[in-house]
Amino acid sequence: MSKPLALLAYQDADLEKQQIETAVRTTANRQKLNKLAKYIKQQQATLSKLNEDMDVFSATMTRLKAQYEAVLKRLDLESSEFETLKGDDECTSEEMTEFRHDIEKLNREASNLEKEIRQLFQNLDNAIAEYQKTRQQGVKAKKEYDALKIVCQKEKDDAAVDMLAIEKKMEELERKVSPALMSRYKRVRLHHNMPIVEVRDGKCSGCNMSLPSLAIRRLVGEDMILECENCGRLLYADNN
């Protein structure tokens, strides 16, 4: 078997192996499995974010409650002093007015804190509900993922029989190609799906670049393989 024919036979087997691998990776079950994996990852990120939000809400709640209690204590103290001053004949109207303003200010501050605390309670309740819902969805998706993973593994195992036969064929064909040429093939294979292509109408059929006449003459009539100067593919001429 000539060098081009041996390498072409190897490439055909290589392409067949690629087709099997692609078929296994792109089954409907595999695609659904990949979508579920992404969904589960997104759900985990959402749960992590909700946990962070709840921690922030809880910390803010603790701080606001402390502020609220402090304001209530001040309000109680100011109110007591105001009642005492109301019975003091020496207390001026200006002092009474100032106390009223202070008490009104504390009442407004307490009212604003109450609103913030109620809103935080609502935010926390919403976050907890969302966390529980997301977690339930994640658990359901994980069960579906685990079941589908078994199906996909069976598909892979079934394809492994054909893959083993192809790999054995490739090993046999590789022994018919020189190590140096096979090394060149595998190097080009890193960049091109079909490393070896035919010269047609004086052009590389891989990139369609015209070839120097000297290179074409070297290919014609010889058991020769050259390399395309433009794309790097291995070139052969069909001299039949």
Side-chain angles (χ1 to χ4, degrees), residues 140-161:
K140 181 180 178 181
K142 183 62 168 61
K143 288 181 180 179
E144 188 176 356
Y145 176 88
D146 290 340
L148 198 56
K149 189 175 181 181
I150 295 173
V151 175
C152 290
Q153 184 59 50
K154 186 175 185 308
E155 290 177 344
K156 186 176 180 180
D157 293 341
D158 291 342
V161 177

Side-chain angles (χ1 to χ4, degrees), residues 67-155:
Q67 291 179 6
Y68 181 68
E69 290 173 2
V71 169
L72 290 182
K73 287 181 181 179
R74 287 168 55 198
L75 183 58
D76 185 58
L77 181 61
E78 291 282 342
S79 298
S80 297
E81 290 183 6
F82 181 71
E83 292 298 322
T84 300
L85 286 175
K86 284 168 64 176
D88 187 352
D89 295 336
E90 296 182 358
C91 182
T92 65
S93 61
E94 287 81 5
E95 288 176 322
M96 294 294 287
T97 299
E98 185 177 350
F99 262 96
R100 286 194 186 93
H101 288 165
D102 288 343
I103 290 171
E104 289 172 358
K105 182 179 178 181
L106 287 170
N107 275 319
R108 287 194 299 270
E109 189 173 348
S111 178
N112 289 334
L113 285 169
E114 284 178 359
K115 290 178 182 178
E116 288 188 62
I117 290 171
R118 282 197 298 269
Q119 185 60 55
L120 271 175
F121 268 121
Q122 185 62 53
N123 292 343
L124 187 57
D125 286 344
N126 291 341
I128 291 172
E130 184 65 23
Y131 182 91
Q132 292 173 342
K133 177 184 176 183
T134 302
R135 189 174 183 278
Q136 290 172 355
Q137 291 172 340
V139 170
K140 181 180 178 181
K142 183 62 168 61
K143 288 181 180 179
E144 188 176 356
Y145 176 88
D146 290 340
L148 198 56
K149 189 175 181 181
I150 295 173
V151 175
C152 290
Q153 184 59 50
K154 186 175 185 308
E155 290 177 344

Side-chain angles (χ1 to χ4, degrees), residues 30-40 42 145:
R30 176 62 64 176
Q31 291 176 13
K32 188 175 181 181
L33 186 73
N34 292 337
K35 288 181 179 179
L36 279 172
K38 291 180 181 178
Y39 177 76
I40 291 170
Q42 290 171 351
Y145 176 88

Side-chain angles (χ1 to χ4, degrees), residues 3 29 63 68 85 92-93 130 144 170 207 225 228 234:
K3 289 191 292 185
N29 288 323
R63 177 175 57 80
Y68 181 68
L85 286 175
T92 65
S93 61
E130 184 65 23
E144 188 176 356
M170 290 175 68
C207 66
I225 293 178
C228 177
L234 303 178

